[in-house]
Amino acid sequence: MSVNYDFTDKVVVITGSSSGIGAGIAQLFAKSGANVVVTGRNGDRVAKVAKQCTNVSPKQLTALEVVGDLTNNEDCNRLIDTTVQTFGKIDILVNNAGSGRLTSIDDSDYMEKFVFIMQTNLNSVVYLTHKCVPYLAKTRGNIINISSVGSKIPSSRFSPYHISKAALDMFTKCMAAELGPKHHIRVNAILPGYVRTDILMTSMSLNRTESDQKFDQTADIYPVGRPGQPQDIANTVAYLASNTEAGFLTGSIVVADGGHLAVVGLK
């Protein structure tokens, strides 16, 4: 039996929603009746996903497009201000945007990559949460942060990414503890495993063939017999965002990894 969520009249901001997991999340919320805000750094990709959201919306609601760089606080301000000016409120914030780079501590550009990844994966989440609290308090809304199984597993050449995600998990718990009693805002995080997107090409400089091979390998390792799809994570986000279905969940770090953590190190 499929689950049909109803987010009619809800306003949902999804960062990094111009491709991959974020695009899948945006489309599911649009299909469920929400007003969605699609944002990313590439205007053409933002427009493409926004059109897809409008097409699946039951009432053909026009998705709001905001092009910007989340490492820039002015762009973060514009994202939130434009959303409120357009829709008058914010109900759900999905902090999905993330980046990774291969680097070792003795690389000459390690600190440059470290700073960029922390700005993208952690600082932007902290800043947007800070900006959204007044609006989410009014709607008794909630926040979902997209973390990673990398928050639980060390890495020798991907340390900034893993550090940023571990910090994101703790930020999630701290905000749940702080914002629940004070503002009735729920805050949760999701830990995806390998999800078939372009991330391996952008973070590890793999070509399409190499990326596909890496994902295909998970079919032999993951207990579910396949890598994740954006829809898998989108379904988990929708569940956590629903006050009806998940109203008792806050401060939770929900693992949606196809069994990655269960078998890591075994094969």
Side-chain angles (χ1 to χ4, degrees):
M1 181 179 70
S2 62
V3 178
N4 294 316
Y5 291 98
D6 184 4
F7 289 104
T8 302
D9 297 327
K10 300 295 185 182
V11 176
V12 187
V13 178
I14 309 107
T15 67
S17 46
S18 59
S19 64
I21 291 173
I25 295 169
Q27 290 165 23
L28 181 55
F29 273 117
K31 187 177 180 180
S32 303
N35 287 292
V36 299
V37 183
V38 179
T39 183
R41 286 181 285 190
N42 185 299
D44 291 339
R45 290 184 177 182
V46 168
K48 180 180 179 180
V49 174
K51 183 178 180 180
Q52 292 169 342
C53 289
T54 299
N55 289 342
V56 300
S57 170
K59 296 182 179 180
Q60 302 292 288
L61 298 175
T62 300
L64 176 63
E65 302 173 31
V66 181
V67 179
D69 181 352
L70 296 183
T71 65
N72 184 320
N73 286 349
E74 291 184 2
D75 283 2
C76 290
N77 291 338
R78 182 165 51 82
L79 170 62
I80 302 308
D81 292 346
T82 303
T83 298
V84 175
Q85 290 167 7
T86 303
F87 299 116
K89 63 172 185 170
I90 298 173
D91 294 280
I92 300 162
L93 170 64
V94 183
N95 289 304
N96 166 76
S99 181
R101 296 287 188 275
L102 279 174
T103 185
S104 298
I105 191 67
D106 53 356
D107 288 348
S108 61
D109 62 350
Y110 179 86
M111 288 309 303
E112 179 183 343
K113 291 179 178 178
F114 181 88
V115 169
F116 172 76
I117 291 166
M118 294 299 285
Q119 287 178 334
T120 304
N121 297 1
L122 182 64
N123 294 8
S124 70
V125 176
V126 174
Y127 191 82
L128 287 173
T129 300
H130 167 70
K131 286 285 295 182
C132 285
V133 165
Y135 306 109
L136 293 173
K138 290 180 181 179
T139 59
R140 295 199 171 193
N142 64 86
I143 301 169
I144 297 117
N145 297 322
I146 306 302
S147 183
S148 167
V149 291
S151 70
K152 305 296 184 184
I153 306 168
S155 171
S156 61
R157 294 197 62 213
F158 221 53
S159 60
Y161 179 83
H162 292 248
I163 293 167
S164 70
K165 293 302 186 179
L168 180 57
D169 290 357
M170 182 54 70
F171 179 71
T172 298
K173 294 178 182 181
C174 289
M175 289 303 98
E178 180 176 332
L179 297 178
K182 194 173 182 180
H183 296 297
H184 306 286
I185 298 171
R186 293 187 299 112
V187 188
N188 294 289
I190 299 172
L191 273 57
Y194 277 108
V195 177
R196 197 181 287 275
T197 65
D198 291 341
I199 190 169
L200 297 183
M201 292 188 289
T202 58
S203 65
M204 300 176 67
S205 300
L206 301 184
N207 59 39
R208 173 63 67 182
T209 300
E210 292 169 334
S211 175
D212 288 343
Q213 289 175 345
K214 185 72 171 176
F215 284 119
D216 290 342
Q217 289 172 4
T218 63
D220 298 324
I221 300 173
Y222 279 12
V224 298
R226 65 173 177 85
Q229 297 290 340
Q231 192 67 26
D232 293 314
I233 308 307
N235 288 333
T236 310
V237 169
Y239 169 72
L240 288 175
S242 172
N243 289 324
T244 302
E245 302 297 330
F248 197 57
L249 271 69
T250 193
S252 294
I253 308 298
V254 178
V255 179
D257 69 346
H260 185 119
L261 291 179
V263 300
V264 65
L266 297 181
K267 296 184 181 180

